[in-house]
Amino acid sequence: MLWRATLAAVLLCGIGLLPWLSRTDPALTVLKGRSSEVDPAPETLAAVREELGLDAGPLHLLTQWLSGLARGDVGRSWVSGTEVGPAVVQALGISLSLMATALVVAVGTAGAICASTLRRGSRHELTGRESGGSGAAILAALPEFLFASVLATVIGVQLGWLPAVGWLGPAWMVLPALALGLPAGAVLGQLLNDLLPAAFTDQWALAAAARGIPSRSIARQALRLALPGTLPNLGLFVVGLTGGSVAVEQIFDIPGLGQLTLRAAIAQDLPVLQTGTLALVLVAVTAGVLARLGAWVLLGPALRAGALRSLHRPTSLRPRRLPLFYGAALLAVVVAGLLRDPLTVDTALRLQAPTWSHPLGTDALGRDVLARIGHGALTTLVVALVVSAVSLVTGVLLGLLPRTSGPLVDTMNAIPPVLAGLLVAGVAGSGPLTPALAVAAVAWSPLATHTSALLRRERATTHVAATHALGAGPWYLLTRHVLPAVLPPVVRHALIRVPGIALSLAALSFLGLGAQPPAPEWGLLLAENQPYAERAPWAVLAPAAVLALLGAFAVTAAGGVRWPWQASARPRRVPPAPAPQKVTDKEPVCSS
């Protein structure tokens, strides 16, 4: 708790220094936030500084805010002059309601993705480790803001089935919950689907089938064994859905906590920004504690007794052609685009539909969309891969130290990527590396959480306990037992998140914090063409389809990741289930 409090204090102090780190005049920024028509005369700026106490320095302002927080008064907004506490509480309630609805959608989506594995595994019809489906990969790679725009335009405006703007009741949360929950559920489903096959190939499943245990009970027990490995990441999604859905809140005009903190950060409204960030930290800590408590409830006795079985035994993988197909298609699009000029403007061809001369159509300035996608790939893919590699190394190293990384993950996860982008821009200045630094600052936390969850489970397995009892040292256990079980699924998780990294970069560009025109970055392409989605859908669907293709390639290729010296392991055939025997009251149901 002391470590968590220290990290939260450091975060709040860093936010309190934002106006001074950004090398701008806080009084001028606040004055523009109040009214863009006010003349920023020197005497007016001096009056604002005196009113807000800016001349006393950031330490005085932070001390004043903390003393007010101790009394239950977090001050008034520098821009609107209203009390901060009620505004943050109201925005938090809206975000929590949206998060709960989106979480229901995410859990349902994850269940639909894992349904086939649960059904086939309970009947012993799985052959080796099953890889995730392409449909789930494409769904996970859909940009939330693009999905939200399509839902708002098609279902809300054109069909008129559901309201698309505002927040006046339950009907207004359906479309944003779908936009947030479907991609998040696809990622959760992929993570859970990665652990289930090994649970079904264990001896307990064969023994249960031999004793006539119903397949539904076997599937339920396998889910109970695999679920603790994904519960910590579910806690991260809870926080991300609460404060990180800034783009979706802007599209649907939802007065949630994410939009409130973004506006406060842009206007440098410190009381609102610090209070909103503190609320997100509390949500992150609560979600993390509940996720770890849920994992302990599911596996507590087995964790203490060291009686678990490893869910990551080396299994054979059948050759798959889907990664080659998706990779070849992605490479073909990029190469075809590189042969064209991405900056040629022809206003006579504005928003032209796809033709032989422009296979993917043109944008609002008449530029070739295929050319801009091809040239933007060099920036988007390279930056996404580099950030993913850095996040993987950082996440694994910190995940191996769960006592240190747990509170750090909770604190860093409370920072939305947009706010991280503003903080990085304030410290390092605006530039091409600002989005990458901002995303890398928070992208390692899901991988560290996954590593810690698998590490905790692997330490409680019987074979690790037996090897340690025979005299094996910590280094031998780490390199021969723990890392071979932990690293492959974490690397697969990192590959699954490569499109998510690209989407985070795209979201920063969508909100104006990333690449600037005329750069052909994929996120900027989506941001530029999104206002013309109804007139020229190809200008938006083309970069979105390439992102979905990247997601499908990453997920299907991730299924082949194994520990190096296990790559030549012989295929292990799963024996068929023995003939079921009738269960009597005098016989034990299952030996394990």
Side-chain angles (χ1 to χ4, degrees):
M1 294 303 298
L2 180 61
W3 179 223
R4 294 177 190 273
T6 303
L7 291 173
V10 171
L11 175 61
L12 293 176
C13 290
I15 292 175
L17 293 173
L18 179 61
W20 289 267
L21 292 175
S22 60
R23 294 178 291 275
T24 59
D25 187 358
L28 179 60
T29 306
V30 172
L31 186 63
K32 289 182 178 179
R34 290 177 176 178
S35 176
S36 58
E37 300 178 356
V38 178
D39 182 22
E43 57 274 9
T44 305
L45 295 178
V48 173
R49 293 191 191 94
E50 182 179 359
E51 174 191 354
L52 302 180
L54 295 174
D55 294 334
L59 182 60
H60 171 74
L61 291 176
L62 180 62
T63 305
Q64 185 179 11
W65 181 79
L66 289 176
S67 61
L69 178 64
R71 300 190 307 268
D73 181 14
V74 290
R76 291 182 173 271
S77 170
W78 287 359
V79 175
S80 64
T82 59
E83 293 186 3
V84 173
V88 171
V89 170
Q90 181 181 4
L92 178 61
I94 293 174
S95 294
L96 290 178
S97 301
L98 178 59
M99 177 271 294
T101 310
L103 194 61
V104 172
V105 176
V107 172
T109 304
I113 293 173
C114 299
S116 176
T117 303
L118 288 171
R119 183 179 64 257
R120 297 173 59 194
S122 62
R123 299 174 182 177
H124 296 278
E125 297 176 356
L126 294 178
T127 55
R129 184 181 296 277
E130 298 294 314
S131 176
S134 303
I138 295 174
L139 185 61
L142 283 176
E144 293 177 351
F145 52 86
L146 175 62
F147 203 14
S149 300
V150 171
L151 290 176
T153 302
V154 176
I155 299 180
V157 178
Q158 294 182 350
L159 299 178
W161 291 349
L162 291 169
V165 178
W167 187 266
L168 299 176
W172 276 261
M173 69 174 64
V174 175
L175 293 183
L178 289 175
L180 292 172
L182 289 176
V187 176
L188 286 174
Q190 292 287 341
L191 296 180
L192 186 58
N193 217 30
D194 187 56
L195 299 176
L196 283 173
F200 283 115
T201 58
D202 207 346
Q203 295 298 323
W204 71 265
L206 300 177
R211 306 298 291 181
I213 302 298
S215 59
R216 181 177 301 178
S217 300
I218 298 176
R220 189 185 305 115
Q221 181 64 19
L223 184 63
R224 179 181 178 182
L225 292 175
L227 191 59
T230 58
L231 275 180
N233 277 279
L234 181 61
L236 298 186
F237 275 107
V238 167
V239 184
L241 294 175
T242 302
S245 55
V246 180
V248 175
E249 289 183 357
Q250 282 192 335
I251 291 173
F252 291 101
D253 194 21
I254 300 174
L257 190 59
Q259 189 170 190
L260 181 68
T261 53
L262 174 62
R263 291 176 178 176
I266 294 176
Q268 297 186 0
D269 192 351
L270 283 188
V272 177
L273 182 58
Q274 289 173 321
T275 307
T277 305
L278 179 61
L280 287 176
V281 170
L282 295 177
V283 172
V285 171
T286 304
V289 171
L290 290 178
R292 286 189 271 279
L293 180 61
W296 182 84
V297 169
L298 291 175
L299 296 179
L303 284 174
R304 293 192 300 269
L308 290 176
R309 296 278 186 174
S310 177
L311 293 183
H312 308 286
R313 299 175 184 176
T315 55
S316 63
L317 290 172
R318 295 174 299 175
R320 297 180 61 86
R321 297 182 178 88
L322 282 179
L324 298 178
F325 171 76
Y326 291 128
L330 183 62
L331 181 63
V333 172
V334 172
V335 172
L338 289 174
L339 301 177
R340 299 167 175 265
D341 187 1
L343 300 178
T344 300
V345 176
D346 188 353
T347 56
L349 300 177
R350 293 180 66 251
L351 302 177
Q352 185 185 55
T355 60
W356 286 109
S357 57
H358 301 285
L360 297 182
T362 60
D363 62 5
L365 296 178
R367 296 172 296 189
D368 187 78
V369 174
L370 177 60
R372 295 183 64 76
I373 289 176
H375 286 266
L378 297 178
T379 302
T380 304
L381 293 181
V382 170
V383 173
L385 290 175
V386 171
V387 172
S388 299
V390 173
S391 303
L392 174 62
V393 174
T394 306
V396 170
L397 292 179
L398 290 177
L400 294 176
L401 304 171
R403 291 183 178 272
T404 302
S405 63
L408 186 60
V409 166
D410 293 339
T411 305
M412 295 302 298
N413 191 52
I415 306 176
V418 177
L419 180 57
L422 291 173
L423 291 174
V424 172
V427 176
S430 299
L433 296 179
T434 298
L437 293 175
V439 175
V442 296
W444 58 268
S445 57
L447 302 177
T449 300
H450 197 188
T451 302
S452 297
L454 297 178
L455 174 68
R456 190 178 300 108
R457 193 188 195 286
E458 196 63 26
R459 283 176 173 174
T461 55
T462 52
H463 69 93
V464 170
T467 307
H468 178 67
L470 291 174
W475 180 252
Y476 182 88
L477 291 175
L478 179 67
T479 57
R480 293 289 178 173
H481 291 279
V482 176
L483 287 182
V486 171
L487 272 185
V490 175
V491 173
R492 290 193 291 268
H493 184 186
L495 287 175
I496 292 174
R497 287 197 173 266
V498 170
I501 298 294
L503 291 183
S504 298
L505 298 171
L508 290 175
S509 300
F510 179 80
L511 296 170
L513 299 176
Q516 300 298 321
E521 198 267 337
W522 289 357
L524 187 58
L525 295 184
L526 291 169
E528 291 176 341
N529 297 319
Q530 192 269 336
Y532 309 98
E534 189 173 354
R535 295 173 51 193
W538 53 84
V540 178
L541 293 179
V546 177
L547 279 172
L549 196 62
L550 172 63
F553 170 72
V555 173
T556 53
V561 175
R562 285 176 287 178
W563 192 247
W565 57 64
Q566 295 173 356
S568 59
R570 289 187 176 183
R572 181 169 66 90
R573 296 180 59 88
V574 179
Q581 300 178 9
K582 185 178 180 180
V583 181
T584 64
D585 296 336
K586 297 181 180 180
E587 294 177 333
V589 174
C590 180
S591 59
S592 59

